[in-house]
Amino acid sequence: MRETDLRAVSVTKTLMMLLVVLGHACIVFAASAWGGVTPLRQSLPIAYFARFLELTHTQTFFVCSGFFFALRRYEKGKYRTMGYDLKHRAKRLLVPYAVISVFWAAPADYFAKGLAPAQLAKNYLLGFDPAQLWFLLTLFLLYILFYFTSDRVLKLPVWLGILGFLAVRYLGVLLTELRLPLRVLRFDAFLRSALYFYLGLLLQQRRLCIPRARWLPLLLALCAGSFALYAVKCIDSECNAYLKETLMLFVNLSGVFAYLCIGTLLKNLYEKPFFAALSAAGMGIYLLHQQILYATMRLTNFAWIAPLAFVIVNFCAAAAIAWGLTWLLKRTAIGRAALGEAK
């Protein structure tokens, strides 16, 4: 594996965390009463930008996660002691899910959205809608899947592996059409995301390559074009489920490789102390930011504040406050466990 790839993917992963915060600072313009807040001034461009981000940033994060899974397993010799590995991964993902759900996210939903206890139990105990924490459930399921299959999967021809995981993705569409409860533990997201985790494995194994800088304009054009088509066909209008999934796939993939290309261009950030500190705080910022936005959006929701300023202020405030809270939590053993950093 080339050092430049490691730096590019590391930078990309941190940038995606920031884009998640930015996306949640924008989504209030696209989703009705997100977090119990309705902006007094609307912005259609920001609403569409939010929709674009939600089709690209977490998908790229899954690619980065697959990359680091393969790095640890195939270059560092880790992930070969099943009992220890599964216990450690549960501490990294499921313990934060439980702690942040009980003491942070669910109470925020109760007060900010007025959700009843029964709905909160459904959302968090069954994983139907656990706010930003759905990502932890999905990542844990992906870890389990690839822990037991990656050795065999990587022996397949690349084209066959990609077709296989595309089939898994469309299986999710079929099962949803059959009205199966795939939102339990966000199994729907797991089926949709396995492809991206697999692509991360292929990148680490050098069976796929990060596009060179000269490809970025084309990738951005593909992003814009595919998202425009998706917006026309599938946003605020009836759309065949399989067509919607296909259009989403084009947006997902063009966005993933565009972001990786940008990560390559910005790979020198990897050595910057500020960026390294931001990366180290990434998990905490992700876990805490959404509920902070519920509060800051209420404090800044005035008609005289322009939508763009509203987004910038809330993005900066949520990221900064979450970073500060992460720093405080890391000072205690309980806080480190809540962030998934317990030994």
Side-chain angles (χ1 to χ4, degrees):
M1 184 199 66
R2 296 191 308 175
E3 178 69 17
T4 54
D5 287 349
L6 173 61
R7 295 185 177 204
V9 175
S10 297
V11 168
T12 302
K13 185 177 181 181
T14 301
L15 292 177
M16 292 308 102
M17 179 274 294
L18 292 175
L19 284 187
V20 169
V21 181
L22 178 60
H24 283 151
C26 296
I27 196 65
V28 70
F29 293 96
S32 177
W34 185 86
V37 178
T38 300
L40 295 178
R41 291 179 63 176
Q42 294 294 323
S43 172
L44 193 58
I46 293 177
Y48 278 106
F49 180 63
R51 293 301 187 196
F52 171 76
L53 287 179
E54 70 180 1
L55 292 176
T56 54
H57 52 32
T58 51
Q59 293 78 8
T60 307
F61 204 105
F62 284 125
V63 172
C64 296
S65 298
F67 179 94
F68 287 111
F69 174 93
L71 175 66
R72 295 183 183 102
R73 182 159 196 162
Y74 297 107
E75 288 204 13
K76 298 188 176 182
K78 296 184 178 182
Y79 299 158
R80 296 295 181 183
T81 310
M82 184 174 66
Y84 170 83
D85 294 332
L86 298 184
K87 181 180 178 181
H88 183 262
R89 190 52 40 177
K91 286 182 177 180
R92 287 284 296 158
L93 299 173
L94 298 187
V95 170
Y97 179 88
V99 174
I100 300 300
S101 292
V102 172
F103 295 104
W104 185 256
D109 278 357
Y110 177 79
F111 290 106
K113 301 179 183 179
L115 297 184
Q119 185 63 48
L120 290 173
K122 178 181 178 181
N123 286 352
Y124 288 92
L125 290 178
L126 298 180
F128 271 74
D129 186 16
Q132 75 275 23
L133 303 180
W134 70 270
F135 184 83
L136 302 182
L137 293 177
T138 302
L139 197 56
F140 184 76
L141 292 175
L142 289 171
Y143 177 86
I144 297 297
L145 171 66
F146 284 94
Y147 189 92
F148 292 106
T149 66
S150 65
D151 291 346
R152 294 182 179 88
V153 164
L154 286 174
K155 293 178 181 178
L156 297 173
V158 169
W159 66 269
L160 184 57
I162 290 175
L163 282 179
F165 284 107
L166 281 173
V168 169
R169 179 170 179 147
Y170 283 98
L171 174 64
V173 181
L174 174 62
L175 295 178
T176 301
E177 291 279 282
L178 295 175
R179 300 186 181 279
L180 294 183
L182 295 187
R183 288 185 70 86
V184 174
L185 300 181
R186 291 313 308 268
F187 199 71
D188 56 338
F190 163 71
L191 294 175
R192 181 171 283 150
S193 304
L195 171 66
Y196 305 111
F197 202 94
Y198 173 63
L199 293 179
L201 267 68
L202 294 179
L203 284 173
Q204 194 281 329
Q205 294 285 291
R206 300 288 294 161
R207 298 176 71 184
L208 284 181
C209 294
I210 298 174
R212 295 179 181 272
R214 65 173 179 266
W215 290 100
L216 183 58
L218 175 60
L219 289 168
L220 293 176
L222 288 173
C223 279
S226 57
F227 178 72
L229 185 58
Y230 171 83
V232 169
K233 293 289 186 179
C234 302
I235 295 181
D236 299 326
S237 62
E238 292 294 326
C239 179
N240 176 274
Y242 295 95
L243 173 62
K244 182 177 182 179
E245 200 70 22
T246 301
L247 294 177
M248 285 174 58
L249 182 65
F250 279 105
V251 182
N252 297 161
L253 292 174
S254 57
V256 162
F257 285 103
Y259 287 143
L260 288 169
C261 189
I262 291 170
T264 300
L265 293 173
L266 299 177
K267 62 182 181 295
N268 289 337
L269 288 175
Y270 182 81
E271 300 174 342
K272 305 300 181 183
F274 176 84
F275 197 81
L278 180 62
S279 298
M283 179 68 156
I285 294 172
Y286 181 85
L287 290 174
L288 301 173
H289 78 278
Q290 183 164 321
Q291 290 67 37
I292 295 170
L293 283 171
Y294 294 167
T296 61
M297 285 179 172
R298 283 169 167 77
L299 296 174
T300 56
N301 191 19
F302 299 103
W304 52 268
I305 294 182
L308 182 59
F310 179 87
V311 168
I312 293 172
V313 167
N314 282 285
F315 166 72
C316 293
I321 294 171
W323 195 348
L325 289 176
T326 299
W327 183 85
L328 290 173
L329 286 171
K330 287 188 175 187
R331 308 276 75 77
T332 68
I334 294 176
R336 290 191 293 272
L339 297 176
E341 297 185 2
K343 298 297 184 182

